[in-house]
Amino acid sequence: MRHVVSILVENEAGALSRISGLFSARGYNIESLTVAPTEDASMSRMTVVTSGSDEVIEQITKQLNKLVEVVKVVDLSEAEHIERELMLIKVRAGTKEREDMKRMADIFRGRVVDVSDNTYTIELTGHGAKLDAFIQALDQSAILETVRTGASGIGRGNRILKV
Amino acid sequence: MDRIKTEELSGAEIVVRCLQAEGVEYVFGYPGGAVLWIYDELFKQDKVRHVLVRHEQGAAHAADAYSRSSEKVGVCLVTSGPGLTNAVTGIATAYMDSIPMVIISGQVPTHAIGEDAFQECDAVGITRPCVKHNFLVKDIRDLAVTMKKAFHIATTGRPGPVLVDIPKDITAQRHEFLYPDSVTMRSYNPVTKGHAGQIKKAVALLQEAKRPMVYAGGGVILSNASAQLRELVKAMGFPCTNTLMGLGGYPGTDAQFLGMLGMHGTYEANMAMQHCDVLIAIGARFDDRVIGDPKHFAQNLRKIIHIDIDPSSISKRVKVDVPIVGNIPDVLKEILKQVDVQKADQPALKAWWKQIDEWRGKDCLKYDRKSKIIKPQYVLEKLYEITGGDAIITSDVGQHQMWAAQFYKFDQPRRWINSGGLGTMGFGLPAAMGAQLANPGATVACVTGESSIQMCLQELSTCKQYRIPVKIINLNNRYMGMVRQWQQFFHGNRYSESYMDALPDFVKLAEGYGHSGLLIDKPEDVEPALRETFKRKKDLVFLDFLTDQTENVYPMIPGGKGITEMILSEEL
Ligand SMILES: Cc1ncc(C[n+]2csc(CCOP(=O)(O)OP(=O)(O)O)c2C)c(N)n1
């Protein structure tokens, strides 16, 4: 099963490699990993999307908690949560394709953020599945470049991960 | 707030002052460019004594055993690059067995980091997977507090080695010195108190048990819980087994002790593990060398209570019914307070003991006592007798280690010092040095094999320099015996590269280092040789016993098999 694990970690050099090292050393999957400082600059918030049986996920959270720099760990998938990912995608958009491309971006609520003679760069946010769907919907030969951030997650309602 | 401005010290002085403040008696180390300022400061004082090893692996093992054999923290000091990489085996050894230890490594100056400078290596990167935590000190203002954190982290929660990597320029800079009494870290707060509800459940299970079993590991030793363990086992009248790491946690000579369990454990201990209805695991982790195949283990239904300080040890390989995360002595005290001994099911217990005694009747550790060739088991029995069961025994890795674990009965914790987790050959001799320095009056013997001893042999020189009078019991079978045994059982007797050819004359070798040595090749000479040797309190004596080349360790659970699928000696 796919799980979204959120981690609050001291914003210290090496913390990221400790966490990614833990995943590789113990053979856990990482589908994506995002990290950036929080409103408190001394702390970073990390979202790891992983997969595994319940036992494996339990071990992952326990092992993460054991790391000295990890402040808190939550498996967001245990309850309602929101997941978002940002994608920037550069597509071929010559005079022929322009209109179609723009329409497609609109349908997916994307925004064209850069334009050249023959390209568009489209910004799209949403659940990973939506980004996948957008890519699927395009003429594959029109895709020049994609870059995705990986998922960030947050609990719904009063579920708060903070010290 | 007024603050008294203290004098400014160099980083190197700060390091040494921190060690003094921690009450560190010994530092095991080896100098080099990056730590010269620290060595300079060690030279100027006499509170912290330095033990110059002959290889940094020895420093790490000695510091590790210094911890294992006492309740103090071993400290080791190495230079950057090769000094650190040489110590890595020792650090990993300590990590696998959760031994508190602080390693200080020198690093190239901060401005040179990342430039492939002479003797630069990424110490924090290399050691990351084999330390509890590590630090690179980039600012002298952080130095003292980092040292404090290192000792704090190493010794609390599930203990482990902590490395502090200090660039050379930091050791030369100056800063005021303030050593904090304590540190708090918002990200590090190990749980100590067991959950009251879980303890209640455990008590109920223990009282209802018809076929109980107590399985205690190294956590009992590390947390100093032997007294409470003994009290519980005695009060309840339960059988008890220890893991390789837990030996001495429960008295080895007690009638309720079933011996060690696991791959080379006793028949009765392994059978009782499989057939019990309530299992209480204390500071143990159900690893592959203990229960073998977890699927086979799960075939028999039983309720499992698991007490450990580390939540990640619980339900890792075996699903547990009552997990209790906490400090073992406290949890056991709480259980003892609540448990009603009167409620134990006496008739059921009686039947269970009858069954266990039947298993014991197999006499699974028997060996040929009439042999004309020295049997290794015989040497260990005599070693036990002659030292009155009172010695600290360190060991290397192989058959001799298993025989020592089977035949030397440890009644006290911290007397059996071996590399259980990593299985590091070369551990024995430097470990004996550390144990002897931590326990100056004690009898210390290193049980080893002719292959293992050659891996850190150079430390004989250290023993000479510091007059460390350990006794070396070399069970010399001219083979990497444990490897040979596996090749005999599982590889069609093809003894690929396991014969130890061109062995040195160990007696001359010991003499060359300024010690004495003795070759023993007849069973009747074993006892007198041991007797004479242990009378010599001040000398290191190297006893080279020529033992049976074909002897195997029994019982044995082949790798990946179930805990009751043991090979017994009579079956061959
Ligand atoms: C550093 C290291 N290398 C290799 C091994 C694999 N190994 C385990 S036991 C053993 C043989 C040990 O031989 P010896 O020290 O003579 O002891 P014996 O088994 O004969 O008692 C070997 C090579 C190991 N445990 N450690």
Side-chain angles (χ1 to χ4, degrees), chain B residues 182-194:
Chain B
S182 64
V183 277
T184 49
M185 300 165 72
R186 64 179 166 187
S187 62
Y188 177 73
N189 297 294
V191 180
T192 53
K193 212 168 145 7

Side-chain angles (χ1 to χ4, degrees), chain B residues 397-400 423 425 449-452 455 477 479-483:
Chain B
V397 174
Q399 292 181 315
H400 60 271
M425 288 170 71
E450 78 299 325
S451 312
S452 290
M455 283 209 180
N477 53 10
Y479 272 103
M480 297 173 196
M482 190 56 93
V483 173

Side-chain angles (χ1 to χ4, degrees), chain B residues 129-281:
Chain B
C130 63
V131 291
K132 181 169 174 186
H133 198 60
N134 57 20
F135 298 94
L136 168 62
V137 182
K138 283 200 197 137
D139 186 330
I140 189 164
R141 287 171 298 184
D142 300 334
L143 183 55
V145 67
T146 304
M147 290 291 291
K148 184 77 207 175
K149 281 182 183 171
F151 278 91
H152 174 62
I153 294 169
T155 51
T156 49
R158 178 176 182 170
V162 178
L163 174 116
V164 184
D165 195 34
I166 311 175
K168 184 167 186 179
D169 54 334
I170 303 279
T171 64
Q173 289 166 14
R174 300 187 77 79
H175 188 65
E176 71 174 309
F177 173 61
L178 265 179
Y179 197 61
D181 290 332
S182 64
V183 277
T184 49
M185 300 165 72
R186 64 179 166 187
S187 62
Y188 177 73
N189 297 294
V191 180
T192 53
K193 212 168 145 7
H195 189 278
Q198 296 295 77
I199 291 179
K200 232 191 188 114
K201 279 192 215 161
V203 167
L205 276 178
L206 292 174
Q207 285 171 176
E208 287 161 20
K210 297 194 184 311
R211 298 185 310 281
M213 179 67 172
V214 181
Y215 150 51
V220 168
I221 315 260
L222 291 167
S223 66
N224 299 313
S226 305
Q228 291 80 14
L229 172 65
R230 189 193 163 105
E231 201 180 326
L232 180 72
V233 173
K234 282 280 152 201
M236 301 300 287
F238 288 176
C240 179
T241 181
N242 280 155
T243 65
L244 179 67
M245 292 311 299
L247 292 175
Y250 188 83
T253 53
D254 188 84
Q256 280 163 251
F257 187 60
L258 305 193
M260 179 175 76
L261 82 166
M263 182 172 268
H264 295 294
T266 65
Y267 183 73
E268 51 271 30
N270 288 340
M271 291 301 278
M273 277 295 280
Q274 184 74 347
H275 295 283
C276 62
D277 71 338
V278 174
L279 178 64
I280 175 165

Side-chain angles (χ1 to χ4, degrees), chain B residues 152-469:
Chain B
H152 174 62
I153 294 169
T155 51
T156 49
R158 178 176 182 170
V162 178
L163 174 116
V164 184
D165 195 34
I166 311 175
K168 184 167 186 179
D169 54 334
I170 303 279
T171 64
Q173 289 166 14
R174 300 187 77 79
H175 188 65
E176 71 174 309
F177 173 61
L178 265 179
Y179 197 61
D181 290 332
S182 64
V183 277
T184 49
M185 300 165 72
R186 64 179 166 187
S187 62
Y188 177 73
N189 297 294
V191 180
T192 53
K193 212 168 145 7
H195 189 278
Q198 296 295 77
I199 291 179
K200 232 191 188 114
K201 279 192 215 161
V203 167
L205 276 178
L206 292 174
Q207 285 171 176
E208 287 161 20
K210 297 194 184 311
R211 298 185 310 281
M213 179 67 172
V214 181
Y215 150 51
V220 168
I221 315 260
L222 291 167
S223 66
N224 299 313
S226 305
Q228 291 80 14
L229 172 65
R230 189 193 163 105
E231 201 180 326
L232 180 72
V233 173
K234 282 280 152 201
M236 301 300 287
F238 288 176
C240 179
T241 181
N242 280 155
T243 65
L244 179 67
M245 292 311 299
L247 292 175
Y250 188 83
T253 53
D254 188 84
Q256 280 163 251
F257 187 60
L258 305 193
M260 179 175 76
L261 82 166
M263 182 172 268
H264 295 294
T266 65
Y267 183 73
E268 51 271 30
N270 288 340
M271 291 301 278
M273 277 295 280
Q274 184 74 347
H275 295 283
C276 62
D277 71 338
V278 174
L279 178 64
I280 175 165
I282 310 173
R285 56 193 178 92
F286 294 92
D287 75 277
D288 54 315
R289 285 295 195 259
V290 165
I291 57 149
D293 177 13
K295 284 200 199 78
H296 179 278
F297 188 64
Q299 283 168 9
N300 290 54
L301 293 181
R302 60 180 91 65
K303 292 279 182 212
I304 303 179
I305 304 160
H306 192 171
I307 310 171
D308 205 288
I309 191 84
D310 176 5
S312 73
S313 279
I314 298 178
S315 290
K316 184 165 65 180
R317 293 190 80 238
V318 165
K319 194 100 195 105
V320 162
D321 302 281
V322 184
I324 306 175
V325 177
N327 185 33
I328 298 170
D330 298 336
V331 174
L332 290 183
K333 273 183 214 156
E334 203 45 52
I335 292 179
L336 276 162
K337 224 190 276 169
Q338 295 183 26
V339 81
D340 181 356
V341 186
Q342 303 304 323
K343 286 200 178 139
D345 185 341
Q346 290 305 335
L349 271 179
K350 219 167 154 198
W352 178 228
W353 272 111
K354 187 159 170 275
Q355 169 69 75
I356 289 170
D357 285 336
E358 244 165 67
W359 289 327
R360 273 179 167 163
K362 278 241 183 232
D363 191 13
C364 66
L365 299 181
K366 64 172 168 271
Y367 66 92
D368 178 9
R369 287 170 187 281
K370 294 195 202 77
S371 169
K372 292 270 180 293
I373 312 168
I374 300 176
K375 289 286 181 184
Q377 298 96 322
Y378 176 71
V379 179
L380 288 161
E381 279 184 343
K382 288 293 154 196
L383 175 68
Y384 173 73
E385 246 176 69
I386 286 161
T387 55
D390 217 24
I392 295 174
I393 305 289
T394 72
S395 107
D396 269 301
V397 174
Q399 292 181 315
H400 60 271
Q401 175 191 26
M402 293 302 127
W403 284 316
Q406 290 174 336
F407 287 87
Y408 202 98
K409 314 241 169 292
F410 296 93
D411 277 342
Q412 304 281 337
R414 300 189 185 276
R415 297 263 177 90
W416 167 239
I417 314 289
N418 87 128
S419 164
L422 199 66
T424 309
M425 288 170 71
F427 178 76
L429 177 57
M433 303 186 326
Q436 185 74 80
L437 290 172
N439 301 272
T443 303
V444 179
C446 164
V447 175
T448 183
E450 78 299 325
S451 312
S452 290
I453 191 69
Q454 294 190 77
M455 283 209 180
C456 278
L457 191 62
Q458 71 286 349
E459 300 307 331
L460 282 176
S461 173
T462 313
C463 291
K464 184 67 193 171
Q465 180 175 346
Y466 298 92
R467 300 192 174 82
I468 300 175

Side-chain angles (χ1 to χ4, degrees), chain A residues 10 13-14 17-18 26 40 42-43 58-59 62-63 66-71 163, chain B residues 95 124 128 132-134 138 153 158 185-188 310-312 314-316 319:
Chain A
E10 295 289 354
S17 58
R18 262 181 239 282
R26 295 193 181 264
D40 169 357
S42 72
M43 226 165 347
E58 187 183 329
Q59 266 300 312
K62 283 175 170 177
Q63 294 291 350
K66 222 164 102 172
L67 295 178
V68 168
E69 283 154 343
V70 167
V71 184
V163 269
Chain B
Y95 179 68
V124 162
R128 187 177 298 125
K132 181 169 174 186
H133 198 60
N134 57 20
K138 283 200 197 137
I153 294 169
R158 178 176 182 170
M185 300 165 72
R186 64 179 166 187
S187 62
Y188 177 73
D310 176 5
S312 73
I314 298 178
S315 290
K316 184 165 65 180
K319 194 100 195 105

